[in-house]
Amino acid sequence: MNLSKITLRPFKLTDVDDLMIYAGDDQVTRHLRRKTLTSKDEALTFLKHVCNPHYHHWHRSICIDDRSIGYISALPGSGESMFKAEMSAGAAAEYWGQGVVTKAMKIAVDQLFKDFPHLVRLEGFVDVKNTACQKVMDKVGFRKEGLLRSHYFLKGRLGDYFIYSILATDFLPVSKL
């Protein structure tokens, strides 16, 4: 895999078929808070929502040759939490273990700290059973801060999660890598 081909861009409505490949795969979505998409109509509804310029989440499509193969999102906090954002990411199973999400996360962290200069902290909550995501967070430079026991009720079970964070002062911009 040539990691230099990986780009991030806003989602487009024309990503609907590609989105179904990964967001319609239970294996990909098993650790995500959103449900697995089961139809093209659901995927289109989701895309219409995230493509809305007034939507307050930061969503980007992970692309190879402009084809959507995954996603990265960040939910900026508000009020007293406006200095931080919660991140999540995922990719189609065929791209697992190839460094795709790690590269995309590095690009996204750099972009988020540029796009939201008031951000001091990015954080992610990772299911203790999701060892692949834990490795990604470590490689990107996030620090494991602790274990949150019985933190989320997800898809029928109460689960333990690690919390990871990276501070603006911890991160070396992509241009310096």
Side-chain angles (χ1 to χ4, degrees), residues 121-137:
R121 171 188 174 90
L122 298 172
E123 56 190 26
F125 298 89
V126 181
D127 188 318
V128 296
K129 296 177 183 175
N130 191 347
T131 56
C133 186
Q134 292 170 43
K135 289 176 186 174
V136 168
M137 298 302 263

Side-chain angles (χ1 to χ4, degrees), residues 113 120 166-172:
F113 284 133
V120 174
I166 190 167
L167 304 180
T169 55
D170 296 337
F171 189 69
L172 186 60

Side-chain angles (χ1 to χ4, degrees), residues 92-111:
E94 71 183 273
Y95 295 99
W96 291 358
Q98 298 178 50
V100 171
V101 174
T102 300
K103 173 71 174 185
M105 283 282 287
K106 287 179 179 180
I107 295 168
V109 168
D110 185 45
Q111 195 62 52

Side-chain angles (χ1 to χ4, degrees), residues 33 86 125 149-154 157-161:
R33 283 184 252 170
E86 182 182 337
F125 298 89
R149 298 180 309 146
S150 297
H151 186 67
Y152 279 127
F153 190 77
L154 181 68
R157 71 171 183 86
L158 197 55
D160 297 342
Y161 285 77

Side-chain angles (χ1 to χ4, degrees), residues 6-152:
I6 296 168
T7 58
L8 300 181
R9 64 159 168 76
F11 277 96
K12 302 182 285 192
L13 295 179
T14 55
D15 290 329
V16 67
D17 291 325
D18 292 333
L19 179 66
M20 280 302 299
I21 292 171
Y22 55 91
D25 181 346
D26 287 328
Q27 185 180 3
V28 173
T29 62
R30 73 176 175 244
H31 296 291
L32 301 179
R33 283 184 252 170
R34 68 177 55 104
K35 69 182 189 86
T36 304
L37 298 178
T38 58
S39 72
K40 196 170 177 174
D41 286 340
E42 280 184 344
L44 197 53
T45 298
F46 171 80
L47 287 171
K48 286 177 182 175
H49 185 67
V50 300
C51 291
N52 179 340
H54 302 292
Y55 188 56
H56 65 279
H57 284 62
W58 186 91
H59 280 286
R60 294 296 180 269
S61 174
I62 301 170
C63 296
I64 296 176
D65 297 324
D66 203 43
R67 183 173 158 251
S68 181
I69 58 103
Y71 82 96
I72 292 190
S73 69
L75 173 59
S78 61
E80 293 177 355
S81 295
M82 68 175 280
F83 64 93
K84 64 183 177 178
E86 182 182 337
M87 292 187 73
S88 67
E94 71 183 273
Y95 295 99
W96 291 358
Q98 298 178 50
V100 171
V101 174
T102 300
K103 173 71 174 185
M105 283 282 287
K106 287 179 179 180
I107 295 168
V109 168
D110 185 45
Q111 195 62 52
L112 282 161
F113 284 133
K114 286 178 185 171
D115 289 353
F116 301 93
H118 63 281
L119 283 180
V120 174
R121 171 188 174 90
L122 298 172
E123 56 190 26
F125 298 89
V126 181
D127 188 318
V128 296
K129 296 177 183 175
N130 191 347
T131 56
C133 186
Q134 292 170 43
K135 289 176 186 174
V136 168
M137 298 302 263
D138 290 336
K139 289 176 185 176
V140 174
F142 280 73
R143 294 184 186 175
K144 186 187 292 183
E145 294 184 332
L147 173 66
L148 302 171
R149 298 180 309 146
S150 297
H151 186 67
Y152 279 127

